[in-house]
């Protein structure tokens, strides 16, 4: 697999949230505003990058049987760094993300990439994979947050989009709105992939026919 | 006593950990296709959640607070919970083999269940006393079981429904969870905190 393929896979084809269906908890919980979502996205991406880097560096020294606890300690260390940095420099974001910062530890995306990719590949590839997956995660969470913020608050990045006559759909900001919006997002993703598949099939069929007609 | 009842109702229904707090969504969507497995997962969560909260509470109060090591909270809690799950698994195999056979397959899944760690953190964050924390963790687990059991009951009916292709599986499950969450919203305002 080339570097570019690894990178792009994380963003679209194997998007951690929309295709692998991992890490729903933070995506649902902190997507009430785009700023919070970006904070969460970048925090998770940083942890992913750090843990992938360290794990791929040390992958030959970690005993096979002990690998999961070691991975968890490495991940928890980076989460603590993020927690302290946010608390020190971005207190507002830290307050609104709250509980979900320490919970990055149990985000299945991070442990999943450590186990499935970083423990088997070299440092450079692991970094590229972490970047791809991290950006995929940021895009997914920011997109969901944009939908919810526009519908539920009539604004994006705290800038009002509509006039005073706009009545926000408050349910979009509330917990039920999170589930329903993400459900529709997944359906949209599936639809796009289905259309793509059908197009590829049609293309293949066309090529086959052309070949047959050439032979004939 | 009244305080404890309020905590219990709040943890079970009003701020249900799955539908209102978004904790433990992965197993919620993953193992809720049949009511039997959902019930098993629910019991396993109650069991581990109570143990984990009690142990992490004691560690926080007796070790971390005493020596000013609060910044190690994340690392210590996740390690304690991960090893606790392993220990519970081994002990259960010896002491209660019947229970182990019923819950065994769900236990490893629970390590990555953010509901367990989340409730442990929440107990510390809300500054609960030991008894309050105990009640909170048990009822939060019961809330999880209620949510996953109802959800599995609905999902069993999907087999007979004609769902559009893009909506199949996770997508329709999330939308159903959204409707369920809306129903649980009706409990808001039962008690004033």
């Amino acid at each position: 697999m080339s570097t570019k393929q690894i990178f792009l896979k994380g963003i679209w084809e194997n998007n951690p949230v929309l295709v692998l269906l991992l890490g729903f908890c933070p995506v649902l919980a902190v997507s009430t505003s785009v700023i919070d979502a970006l904070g969460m996205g970048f925090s998770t991406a940083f942890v992913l990058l750090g843990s992938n880097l360290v794990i791929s560096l040390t992958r030959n020294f970690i005993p096979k049987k002990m690998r999961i606890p070691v991975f968890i300690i490495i991940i928890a260390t980076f989460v603590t760094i993020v927690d302290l940095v946010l608390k020190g420099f971005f207190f507002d974001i830290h307050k609104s993300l709250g509980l979900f910062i320490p919970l990055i530890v149990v985000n299945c995306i991070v442990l999943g990439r450590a186990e499935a990719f970083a423990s088997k590949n070299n440092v450079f590839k692991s970094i590229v994979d972490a970047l791809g997956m991290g950006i995929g995660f940021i895009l997914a969470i920011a997109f969901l947050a944009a939908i919810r913020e526009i519908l539920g608050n009539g604004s994006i990045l705290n800038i009002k989009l509509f006039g005073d006559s706009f009545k926000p759909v408050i349910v979009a900001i509330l917990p039920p709105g999170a589930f329903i919006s993400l459900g529709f997002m997944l359906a949209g993703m599936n639809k796009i992939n289905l259309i793509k598949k059908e197009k590829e099939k049609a293309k293949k069929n066309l090529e086959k026919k052309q070949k047959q007609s050439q032979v004939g | 006593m009244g305080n404890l009842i309020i905590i219990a109702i709040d943890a079970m229904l009003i701020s249900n950990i799955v539908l209102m707090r978004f904790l433990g969504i992965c197993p919620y969507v993953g193992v809720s296709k049949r009511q039997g497995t959902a019930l098993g997962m629910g019991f396993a969560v109650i069991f581990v959640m109570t143990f984990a909260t009690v142990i992490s509470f004691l560690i926080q109060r007796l070790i971390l607070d005493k020596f000013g090591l609060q910044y190690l909270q994340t690392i210590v809690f996740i390690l304690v919970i991960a090893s606790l799950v392993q220990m519970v698994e081994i002990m259960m195999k010896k002491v209660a083999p019947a229970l182990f056979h019923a819950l065994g397959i769900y236990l490893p899944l629970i390590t990555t269940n953010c509901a367990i760690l989340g409730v442990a953190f929440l107990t510390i964050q809300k500054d609960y006393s030991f008894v309050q924390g105990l009640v909170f963790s048990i009822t939060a687990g019961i809330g999880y079981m209620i949510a996953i059991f109802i959800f599995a009951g609905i999902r069993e009916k999907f087999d007979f429904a004609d769902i559009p292709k893009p909506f199949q599986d996770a997508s329709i499950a999330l939308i159903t969870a959204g409707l369920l969450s809306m129903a649980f919203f009706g409990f808001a305002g039962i008690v004033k905190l």
Side-chain angles (χ1 to χ4, degrees):
Chain A
M1 234 184 338
S2 74
T3 335
K4 198 178 155 198
Q5 267 175 324
I6 296 173
F7 183 68
L8 290 178
K9 236 182 179 170
I11 295 179
W12 182 263
E13 204 179 321
N14 270 345
N15 186 297
V17 180
L18 301 175
V19 180
L20 302 181
L21 309 179
L22 295 173
F24 275 169
C25 307
V27 170
L28 289 168
V30 289
S31 54
T32 45
S33 79
V34 179
I35 293 179
D36 288 356
L38 287 177
M40 187 71 215
F42 280 108
S43 308
T44 310
F46 171 76
V47 174
L48 196 55
L49 190 63
S51 67
N52 257 15
L53 173 69
V54 173
I55 287 165
S56 65
L57 273 173
T58 52
R59 69 184 191 282
N60 296 327
F61 309 110
I62 300 173
K64 260 260 139 55
K65 278 185 181 164
M66 281 293 290
R67 68 185 192 285
I68 300 287
V70 174
F71 291 171
I72 290 178
I73 296 177
I74 293 171
I75 294 167
T77 312
F78 281 102
V79 172
T80 309
I81 294 172
V82 167
D83 194 10
L84 294 176
V85 167
L86 284 181
K87 212 186 233 165
F89 300 105
F90 305 95
F91 192 67
D92 287 341
I93 290 180
H94 186 269
K95 222 163 88 187
S96 53
L97 296 186
L99 182 64
F100 284 90
I101 300 170
L103 285 184
I104 298 174
V105 179
V106 279
N107 191 327
C108 334
I109 298 171
V110 183
L111 190 62
R113 289 330 285 173
E115 166 76 11
F117 200 93
S119 63
K120 292 178 190 126
N121 288 288
N122 63 26
V123 180
F124 180 65
K125 272 187 181 172
S126 301
I127 291 176
V128 172
D129 177 67
L131 284 176
M133 284 284 163
I135 291 171
F137 181 76
I138 293 172
L139 286 179
I141 194 171
F143 190 68
L144 179 65
I147 295 175
R148 288 182 69 192
E149 201 181 339
I150 291 172
L151 284 179
N153 205 13
S155 64
I156 191 158
L157 290 167
N158 289 336
I159 302 162
K160 280 257 176 282
L161 289 179
F162 309 107
D164 290 334
S165 57
F166 176 74
K167 283 226 171 68
V169 191
I170 293 171
V171 77
I173 291 269
L174 297 175
F179 284 109
I180 294 172
S181 325
L182 185 60
F184 275 102
M185 237 170 99
L186 287 183
M189 184 86 179
N190 287 344
K191 184 78 198 168
I192 292 170
N193 281 341
L194 280 176
I195 291 173
K196 245 188 186 170
K197 245 184 212 163
E198 259 168 37
K199 264 190 188 160
E200 266 169 33
K201 230 185 201 170
K203 214 178 176 185
K204 260 185 197 163
N205 279 347
L206 203 76
E207 275 172 13
K208 236 186 207 169
K209 264 184 197 164
Q210 275 176 348
K211 255 185 199 169
Q212 276 172 349
S213 63
Q214 274 173 3
V215 171
Chain B
M1 194 58 211
N3 186 9
L4 291 184
I5 293 171
I6 289 178
I7 288 177
I9 292 175
D10 183 52
M12 259 193 291
L13 302 174
I14 302 169
S15 330
N16 186 292
I17 46 170
V18 192
L19 299 171
M20 292 294 150
R21 287 194 197 280
F22 306 112
L23 295 170
I25 305 282
C26 301
Y28 186 68
V29 177
V31 278
S32 57
K33 290 214 168 110
R34 291 283 166 267
Q35 273 185 317
T37 48
L39 212 57
M41 186 69 191
F43 276 116
V45 165
I46 296 178
F47 195 74
V48 177
M49 193 176 272
T50 316
F51 262 95
T53 308
V54 167
I55 304 253
S56 57
F57 181 86
L58 292 177
I59 286 178
Q60 172 79 18
R61 288 283 176 268
L62 298 179
I63 301 173
L64 298 184
D65 280 354
K66 219 173 197 174
F67 299 104
L69 296 171
Q70 284 92 344
Y71 61 91
L72 282 178
Q73 202 190 35
T74 313
I75 299 178
V76 171
F77 276 24
I78 182 68
L79 275 182
V80 166
I81 288 170
S83 47
L84 183 85
V85 173
Q86 296 273 309
M87 221 167 67
V88 165
E89 208 178 336
I90 294 167
M91 263 165 51
M92 217 192 236
K93 218 178 196 168
K94 277 267 182 238
V95 180
L99 194 63
F100 177 76
H101 278 291
L103 303 184
I105 39 170
Y106 307 110
L107 284 175
L109 284 174
I110 285 179
T111 324
T112 53
N113 187 336
C114 50
I116 308 287
L117 192 63
V119 167
F121 280 129
L122 275 173
T123 312
I124 306 296
Q125 242 176 42
K126 293 188 166 196
D127 221 8
Y128 280 149
S129 70
F130 183 77
V131 179
Q132 284 173 329
L134 189 66
V135 171
F136 175 65
S137 61
I138 294 174
T139 46
I142 294 173
Y144 188 91
M145 196 172 79
I146 295 174
I148 200 171
F149 187 65
I150 298 175
F151 188 50
I154 301 173
R155 277 189 91 176
E156 278 187 354
K157 297 278 181 291
F158 286 175
D159 293 349
F160 311 110
D162 186 19
I163 301 164
K165 217 170 180 189
F167 279 94
Q168 272 166 12
D169 260 359
S171 172
I172 194 77
L174 278 172
I175 292 170
T176 313
L179 296 177
L180 207 55
S181 160
M182 227 179 258
F184 268 69
F185 226 85
F187 290 116
I190 289 185
V191 286
K192 276 239 154 67
L193 284 176

